Amino acid sequence: ITTSWNGKATSEDVLFSLVIRPTADADLSDIINVSSRYTAAEAYGNGNTMNVGVNFSNGEVAAAGFEMFQNTPNPFAVETLIGFNLPQDAEVTLTINDASGRVLTVLRGDYAAGYNTINVSKSQVQGATGVLGYTVTAGEFTATKTMIAVK
């Protein structure tokens, strides 16, 4: 579900409700989470940016965790965007490999907690085409996906 709301609210206000009907036994905290895949999962108050989480009736709050998203566009000819979510500020390393495992590029940077993106151009992958692998590493978190570069 993608949503955005702009206005004033108190901690007692209900902005929206969600009714979930289970089809199997599971802990909600294991199957429901907040993601910045389409809309940044953040709130603003007193000039500060805050993370958004889900508050379950047992008092447990599930905050947005580490997540890496599929690059867009995919396939790409000129450049592509790799998005990821960080649970806290971290140094991030993006490594891109060709199909044989040869490292084409390594990009490093410091990123803030929340949703971030890295723009990758065709020149940064040495003009390679075909299936490429990319890995994002942030502290103890690592995720790998594949993308396709075309001529």
Side-chain angles (χ1 to χ4, degrees):
I1 299 171
T2 299
T3 186
S4 177
W5 181 80
N6 182 13
K8 294 188 182 256
T10 67
S11 60
E12 291 80 33
D13 291 338
V14 175
L15 300 179
F16 64 91
S17 295
L18 192 62
V19 177
I20 299 171
R21 291 190 177 87
T23 58
D25 287 336
D27 290 332
L28 285 178
S29 59
D30 292 334
I31 58 174
I32 296 176
N33 62 30
V34 175
S35 167
S36 293
R37 176 64 169 120
Y38 299 104
T39 304
E42 57 190 18
Y44 311 95
N46 300 325
N48 297 316
T49 302
M50 302 172 283
N51 284 329
V52 176
V54 178
N55 191 355
F56 296 97
S57 60
N58 66 1
E60 178 183 346
V61 176
F66 175 77
E67 191 171 6
M68 183 178 69
F69 305 108
Q70 187 64 50
N71 65 300
T72 56
N74 188 37
F76 75 99
V78 178
E79 61 185 17
T80 190
L81 200 64
I82 297 172
F84 54 94
N85 191 69
L86 297 175
Q88 67 266 341
D89 296 355
E91 180 184 29
V92 172
T93 301
L94 169 66
T95 305
I96 301 175
N97 302 320
D98 65 13
S100 70
R102 181 175 59 105
V103 174
L104 300 174
T105 191
V106 176
L107 303 172
R108 288 186 179 83
D110 293 322
Y111 292 87
Y115 183 72
N116 296 276
T117 59
I118 298 175
N119 194 18
V120 177
S121 69
K122 188 75 171 276
S123 64
Q124 289 175 300
V125 295
Q126 302 174 23
T129 58
V131 177
L132 307 176
Y134 62 99
T135 301
V136 170
T137 303
E140 64 189 58
F141 304 108
T142 298
T144 300
K145 291 189 179 288
T146 57
M147 61 183 165
I148 300 172
V150 296
K151 291 182 180 181

